[in-house]
Amino acid sequence: MATSLLRAAWWGASPRLLLALAVVLALRGVAPLPDYLGPYPGAERRAPARDGAAIGAAPKALAVSDMPANDAEAARFLTQATFGPTLEDIAHLRQVGYSAWIDEQFGYPMSSQLTFLKNAAARAGTGNDVERGWRVDAWFVNALGGKDPIKTTVVHRDQLRQRVAFALSEIFVISDASSDLLGGQPQGMTHYYDTLARDAFGNYRTLLEDVTLHPTMGLYLSMLQNQKPDPVRNVRPDENYAREVLQLFSVGLVRLNRDGTPLLGLDGKPVPTYTQETVKGFAHVFTGWTFKGCAALGDFECYFYEPSSPAWVSPMENQAAYHASAQSKQLLDYPGAALPGGLLAGGGTGRSDLTAALDNIHRHPNVGPFIGRQLIQRLITSNPSPGYVDRVASVFDDNGQGVRGDLRAVVRAILLDPEARDPAAQPANFGKVREPLLRLTHLWRALGGRSKTGFVDEFWTLDSNLGQQPMFAPSVFNFFSPNYSPMGEPSQNGMAAPELQLATDYMLPATESYLMRKIYDSYVGNPNGIEDDEVAISLTRDVALATQPAQLIERYNTLFLSGQMSAAMKQVLLERLNGMPANTAAAKRERVQEALYLIINSPEYLVQQ
C-alpha cells in the first residue's frame, strides 16, 4: 500500500475535521443570506402572495451555447447527466452538442434490471430462483453502461434515463433494508426500478399512478390490502401511503410559490399544503387495493410467496367490497382545483376515486417546484436559485404544447438551464457534495471498471462502506433529506447540503478505505489476483502517462473535476508524483494509483461544481 506525507496529513485528521474542511470548501465565497424563513434552507423571506399565485414571471433565461467549448465543459455536463464521464463520451458530446446528445439519450432503449435478473438466472441455470444481490448487480451493469456482461448482444447506452431513475428512486423511495421486502422480492424490486426508468421520460401523472399501484410500494407503505372503515372490527384505513404521497412524492408540507419559496399567509407564516383531514380523505381513497390475482382466488388478503409470481410485477387490483366508496373524501383544496373545496363525493369506485385523487395531486401548483427542485438537487446543485426553480417549474406546468408534467421536458430544462451550464449565471453557493455511490460509479466508468462474470458481489459491502446502495435507504425519507443543513456555516447561511447527512464519524474513514481498496487492489493484472465477481479498473491507458505526471494530472482534472482543479492542488499532486519512482512497470502503476487515490478523496473533488 502506497504511503505519503500528504495522505498522512489529510487522513490522519479527525473525521469531524474532514467534514469541516469539505463544508468550508463548498461554501467558499458565500455571502450571508437574508434571514431564513421557510421549510428548507435557501428559502427567502417573501411578502404574502395572492393564494396560489407565482411571484412574477419566470426569469428570462440567458443564452447558452449548445456546444461545449472544451473537454472540461463536456465533462461537467456528463457529470451531471450520467454516472460519470469517460474520455469517449466527452469526445462524442463535443461532436454533437448538448441538445443532440439529450435527444440521443431519449431515443435509446431502456436497460431493464428485471431482464438482467432473468438472463442471469438462465445463465446460472437456476430457473426462477434469483439471488437478492443480483438486483444490485443489475443496477451497476446499467449504471456503468456499455456491453452487457451477461447478455453480450445487449449494449447499455441509456445513461441519462438511468441517472434520472436513480434520482427518482431517492424521491419515490422503497427499500429492502428493513421492511417486509427484506424477505427478498428481487423481481418486484427490480421491476419497480424499471418502472421509474420507464417513466423517467414520460409524464409525472403516469409515474404517480404507476408508483401508487406497484405492489412493492403497496407493501412498503402499507397501502396493499388497506381496508375501508369497519367500526365492528375496529378497522380504520391506514394513512401511511396517504401521508407520504403528499409529503414526499408530490406537494410537500407547505404551499409554494412557483420559484419554490414558501407562500406566506397574512400572518407572515408559511401556509400548510394540507391538513389531517386531507390525509384521512386520501387514506379512504387508497382502500380496496391488493395483489392482482387475489380476486381470482376469492380472497383479499392473499399473499404470493413465490418471488417469480406475476403478482409482483403487475399493478394492484381493487376489490369493491373493501373500498370506502360511500364516504366523501377531503382531498387537496387549492385555487383551480377540479373538485370544489377539494371534496370528492361518495359513491365512486376504487378506480374512479383513485383517478380523481391522483388528478387532484397532479394539478396542484406545488408539484412543479417541489419535484423540480429535488431533481435539480440530485443532478446539478443543492441550492438552486429561485429563478432556476421557477424556470423548471414553468416547464412542468406547460411543456410549450399545453402538456403538464412532461418529465422529458423537465429533464431537458434542468440540464440546459443557464445556471447549470454557464458559470457566470451561477450563484456563489452553486454545487453539491457528491453522493458516495456516485463517486464509485465515476471511478469505475472513468477507468473501465468491469467484473469477469458480470456480477458485482457488493450487496453486503456498499451500505457499511458508502452509507448507501440502490433502494436500501433506512426509511422512506431516503439516505438524506433534501433539506438537511449541517450545523455551522451551512445552517448559518441557510444552505442545504443533503449528502453530508451521510458524512458521519464512522462513514468518512470507511468510504476512504473502501475506495482505496478499489484503487490499489482491484485492478486488472493484480499479481495477487482478484475474485471473478469483483469489479476491476483498467490502469493500462493511464500508465502510459506515468512518466509525464503533469499530463496525467490534467487528464484526471478533466475526468474527475471537470477542469476545475486549483493551481495549488495541481502543484501538490505534481510534487508528490515526481517524488515517487517510475523506473519499473509497478512503480509507474503506483504513480497512477496515487494520483487517483488523492484526487478521489480530495475536498475539491468531493464538491461537484
Side-chain angles (χ1 to χ4, degrees):
M1 183 183 300
T3 59
S4 72
L5 291 175
L6 178 59
R7 186 187 311 168
W10 177 244
W11 292 108
S14 71
R16 291 188 183 278
L17 176 58
L18 303 184
L19 173 57
L21 291 172
V23 173
V24 167
L25 182 78
L27 294 170
R28 61 181 182 271
V30 175
L33 299 178
D35 290 342
Y36 164 65
L37 176 63
Y40 57 82
E44 299 178 11
R45 183 180 295 275
R46 303 295 298 269
R50 178 174 55 83
D51 191 32
I55 302 296
K60 184 178 180 181
L62 303 176
V64 176
S65 172
D66 194 58
M67 298 296 293
N70 48 49
D71 286 357
E73 284 190 10
R76 184 169 173 275
F77 174 87
L78 292 168
T79 297
Q80 297 166 340
T82 74
F83 286 95
T86 67
L87 292 180
E88 295 76 15
D89 287 347
I90 290 171
H92 177 66
L93 177 60
R94 292 204 64 188
Q95 288 180 339
V96 302
Y98 300 128
S99 296
W101 185 91
I102 293 173
D103 288 338
E104 285 179 348
Q105 289 292 312
F106 287 160
Y108 287 138
M110 185 193 84
S111 298
S112 166
Q113 291 190 12
L114 183 59
T115 299
F116 175 94
L117 257 65
K118 293 178 178 178
N119 291 337
R123 196 180 79 170
T126 59
N128 291 326
D129 294 332
V130 299
E131 296 183 15
R132 182 183 176 198
W134 287 1
R135 72 164 185 81
V136 175
D137 298 344
W139 185 89
F140 274 111
V141 166
N142 293 348
L144 297 181
K147 194 172 184 180
D148 192 302
I150 302 294
K151 192 76 168 180
T152 55
T153 58
V154 174
V155 179
H156 302 281
R157 295 187 176 94
D158 57 331
Q159 276 286 297
L160 180 58
R161 181 185 294 276
Q162 296 296 325
R163 184 67 186 84
V164 174
F166 180 59
L168 292 173
S169 76
E170 295 187 331
I171 300 172
F172 299 87
V173 175
I174 67 169
S175 173
D176 62 356
S178 56
S179 70
D180 288 338
L181 297 174
L182 183 63
Q185 294 296 345
Q187 284 93 335
M189 295 286 288
T190 54
H191 184 268
Y192 180 82
Y193 198 96
D194 284 351
T195 299
L196 299 181
R198 183 183 66 246
D199 292 346
F201 298 155
N203 193 280
Y204 171 82
R205 174 61 177 80
T206 302
L207 171 65
L208 184 63
E209 181 162 329
D210 288 347
V211 164
T212 299
L213 293 183
H214 202 283
T216 56
M217 177 59 81
L219 185 60
Y220 186 60
L221 290 183
S222 55
M223 176 182 154
L224 180 76
Q225 296 165 358
N226 188 22
Q227 299 184 30
K228 68 181 181 181
D230 186 340
V232 174
R233 295 189 296 139
N234 195 28
V235 172
R236 290 173 292 178
D238 188 289
E239 298 178 358
N240 199 11
Y241 185 71
R243 194 177 305 278
E244 307 309 352
V245 73
L246 298 176
Q247 180 179 348
L248 302 176
F249 303 165
S250 60
V251 296
L253 294 173
V254 302
R255 289 289 305 278
L256 301 174
N257 298 300
R258 197 177 65 183
D259 64 8
T261 56
L263 179 74
L264 306 184
L266 296 177
D267 59 359
K269 297 180 180 179
V271 179
T273 313
Y274 55 88
T275 67
Q276 175 58 25
E277 288 305 307
T278 316
V279 174
K280 289 181 178 179
F282 277 96
H284 281 73
V285 167
F286 300 135
T287 53
W289 295 94
T290 188
F291 284 113
K292 182 176 182 180
C294 285
L297 298 174
D299 194 2
F300 180 71
E301 296 182 329
C302 77
Y303 192 90
F304 294 91
Y305 292 94
E306 176 57 49
S308 62
S309 169
W312 288 104
V313 297
S314 303
M316 292 185 291
E317 62 182 8
N318 194 268
Q319 294 190 23
Y322 296 89
H323 175 63
S325 175
Q327 293 87 350
S328 60
K329 303 163 184 70
Q330 179 62 58
L331 304 184
L332 293 166
D333 184 16
Y334 51 90
L339 301 172
L343 191 65
L344 178 63
T349 66
R351 168 55 67 176
S352 68
D353 281 356
L354 182 79
T355 298
L358 298 186
D359 285 347
N360 175 256
I361 293 174
H362 174 60
R363 294 169 183 152
H364 194 285
N366 265 32
V367 180
F370 185 79
I371 296 297
R373 176 178 178 267
Q374 290 191 69
L375 288 175
I376 294 171
Q377 285 185 304
R378 300 279 53 78
L379 300 175
I380 310 293
T381 180
S382 294
N383 298 278
S385 70
Y388 192 178
V389 175
D390 196 345
R391 292 187 292 272
V392 170
S394 71
V395 172
F396 182 95
D397 291 347
D398 185 341
N399 67 352
Q401 299 177 339
V403 177
R404 179 177 178 80
D406 181 355
L407 294 178
R408 180 176 297 202
V410 167
V411 169
R412 184 189 295 274
I414 289 172
L415 292 175
L416 297 184
D417 191 86
E419 197 162 319
R421 300 273 56 82
D422 183 6
Q426 294 161 2
N429 61 358
F430 181 86
K432 66 189 294 292
V433 175
R434 299 179 196 265
E435 296 181 51
L437 191 59
L438 298 184
R439 291 170 63 191
L440 179 62
T441 61
H442 194 169
L443 172 68
W444 281 351
R445 277 180 54 79
L447 277 296
R450 291 291 186 275
S451 73
K452 293 180 181 178
T453 63
F455 299 112
V456 182
D457 194 27
E458 296 285 355
F459 186 84
W460 300 110
T461 63
L462 291 171
D463 185 58
S464 59
N465 288 292
L466 299 181
Q468 61 175 162
Q469 72 175 33
M471 293 195 296
F472 203 75
S475 76
V476 72
F477 295 95
N478 191 31
F479 306 100
F480 39 75
S481 165
N483 307 325
Y484 178 72
S485 183
M487 292 177 59
E489 219 170 334
S491 59
Q492 291 169 8
N493 286 295
M495 292 174 58
E499 298 82 2
L500 286 183
Q501 199 164 356
L502 292 174
T504 64
D505 287 0
Y506 169 82
M507 200 55 64
L508 279 167
T511 299
E512 177 270 336
S513 297
Y514 177 77
L515 294 175
M516 177 180 66
R517 294 194 299 272
K518 297 304 177 187
I519 293 170
Y520 285 103
D521 299 334
S522 302
Y523 64 92
V524 176
N526 185 340
N528 297 320
I530 59 174
E531 298 293 332
D532 288 348
D533 291 347
E534 187 173 357
V535 175
I537 59 175
S538 176
L539 300 170
T540 304
R541 178 197 67 193
D542 297 338
V543 164
L545 293 179
T547 57
Q548 304 169 70
Q551 293 186 35
L552 178 66
I553 291 169
E554 280 307 320
R555 172 173 290 176
Y556 287 167
N557 179 25
T558 298
L559 277 173
F560 293 104
L561 284 91
S562 304
Q564 297 169 334
M565 187 183 295
S566 68
M569 181 173 173
K570 288 181 184 178
Q571 184 61 33
V572 170
L573 288 171
L574 188 60
E575 290 177 3
R576 171 56 191 160
L577 297 185
N578 278 329
M580 298 176 66
N583 56 343
T584 67
K588 293 176 183 177
R589 185 197 72 243
E590 289 176 1
R591 269 194 177 189
V592 174
Q593 290 169 316
E594 187 82 352
L596 282 170
Y597 171 84
L598 293 173
I599 289 170
I600 212 79
N601 288 296
S602 67
E604 290 193 16
Y605 171 73
L606 291 176
V607 179
Q608 172 188 311
Q609 291 188 309

